[in-house]
Amino acid sequence: MYLRAVRRRTLVMTVLIIVADAVLLAVALGLLFTGSSSVPTPTPTPSPMAPSRHSGLSLPAKPTRHAANRGSTAVSTVAPSSYHPLRVVPPQTAVQQTIDESMAQESAQASNLLKGSAWTAPATSAPFRAIDAADSASPSLFAMAFTQKLLDIRFASSTRNQLLAWADDNAAPFSLGTVPASLATRVLGVSLITGHSPVPSMTTWAELATSRTSWSVSGLVVSVNPTWTQALSAGWVPRDPLMGIYDVSGVLSVSSPGHATVVTSISFALTLGGAALHPGYGAVALDNWTLD
């Protein structure tokens, strides 16, 4: 059975650690030059994140897709469209400039990893159906739906490529730092196939299929990541108004014929943003995957 107790850090969490350090630096600079503990307050912009279960978002018109029904049992490959996720221009406060400059330096180095990565064409399929539009309108509901579909797997009746294509169909572009637009949607796929992650390797997937292993996730809890809250509280504003980092935890049950079900706790950080191919939320990256 595929169980690994590991922690991993990829592009998003590395950049957000830089964000946290930059927040502390910006606050320190404010104290040094103004003698005040206050942090510059940004000019009001669209809400940078909506951590509540019902966000009340006003979503753009739905883009044209190759298959009209996102829940179709047949493979549905996404066709090019004119849809683009919303972006805002943050106010150029001292905090904003300090954090943005730090992220630009870090993300520039990560672009080389993305350039060498392979990725699948976005698609849904019978084993991995599209997430409902209603769930895509709320960050917590999307995080739960994404996790449920990512980890509820019958290995004998699905393929790894189908899972990765489904993930790409739900990807949101990475919008921190200076990652080129042509590479921004690859971050999710790289976070799922680089190093240890919840997605088994092709060899392990085949072994799990042969043993007729199935995964099932339950008891999911979603909360806003404290580092993200710290960055926003300092006055920093993301260019993607739907972006947010959420801590997800739950229980993973691993079953196969002739063996007792193995139950273990899981947790990870899921970065969300405006989806690349449809209105509402998408996944930017999955980090800090842990099995206890």
Side-chain angles (χ1 to χ4, degrees):
M1 294 185 182
Y2 178 80
L3 292 175
R4 290 177 180 167
V6 297
R7 291 184 182 274
R8 60 187 301 272
R9 180 182 298 164
T10 55
L11 175 62
V12 170
M13 289 310 293
T14 299
V15 172
L16 261 294
I17 288 173
I18 298 298
V19 170
D21 292 341
V23 167
L24 297 177
L25 175 60
V27 172
L29 289 174
L31 286 170
L32 178 62
F33 290 108
T34 68
S36 170
S37 59
S38 62
V39 177
T41 302
T43 303
T45 61
S47 174
M49 62 185 298
S52 63
R53 187 171 293 273
H54 300 287
S55 62
L57 295 174
S58 176
L59 300 178
K62 188 172 182 179
T64 303
R65 286 178 161 262
H66 184 68
N69 182 6
R70 280 175 53 85
S72 172
T73 57
V75 173
S76 170
T77 302
V78 176
S81 75
S82 59
Y83 174 78
H84 296 286
L86 179 64
R87 293 291 182 264
V88 299
V89 179
Q92 292 304 298
T93 62
V95 169
Q96 188 76 32
Q97 292 176 358
T98 300
I99 295 178
D100 286 350
E101 289 173 3
S102 297
M103 287 192 298
Q105 295 175 4
E106 187 67 27
S107 62
Q109 299 175 7
S111 294
N112 291 331
L113 172 64
L114 297 174
K115 289 177 182 178
S117 64
W119 73 101
T120 57
T124 57
S125 58
F128 302 104
R129 298 172 183 266
I131 293 176
D132 291 342
D135 290 335
S136 296
S138 162
S140 56
L141 291 181
F142 179 85
M144 289 185 179
F146 182 87
T147 303
Q148 196 88 40
K149 292 180 181 293
L150 179 71
L151 297 179
D152 278 359
I153 305 175
R154 293 185 178 182
F155 291 94
S157 58
S158 60
T159 69
R160 187 172 185 264
N161 282 342
Q162 286 176 323
L163 174 59
L164 294 176
W166 168 85
D168 284 341
D169 185 58
N170 289 283
F174 183 84
S175 60
L176 302 176
T178 58
V179 173
S182 60
L183 303 177
T185 55
R186 298 191 194 180
V187 173
L188 177 60
V190 170
S191 76
L192 293 176
I193 65 174
T194 303
H196 300 297
S197 85
V199 178
S201 66
M202 293 184 65
T203 300
T204 302
W205 191 294
E207 294 171 353
L208 295 172
T210 300
S211 63
R212 299 178 63 190
T213 297
S214 296
W215 286 0
S216 177
V217 68
S218 60
L220 293 176
V221 176
V222 178
S223 60
V224 181
N225 182 279
T227 299
W228 184 253
T229 301
Q230 181 185 16
L232 296 181
S233 298
W236 176 74
V237 178
R239 291 188 298 118
D240 181 351
L242 298 189
M243 188 176 185
I245 299 183
Y246 298 84
D247 292 329
V248 182
S249 61
V251 175
L252 181 67
S253 300
V254 181
S255 306
S256 61
H259 295 84
T261 299
V262 176
V263 179
T264 186
S265 298
I266 63 169
S267 63
F268 57 91
L270 182 64
T271 303
L272 303 184
L277 299 174
H278 57 81
Y281 288 87
V284 177
L286 188 151
D287 298 274
N288 290 354
W289 169 252
T290 304
L291 280 166
D292 297 324

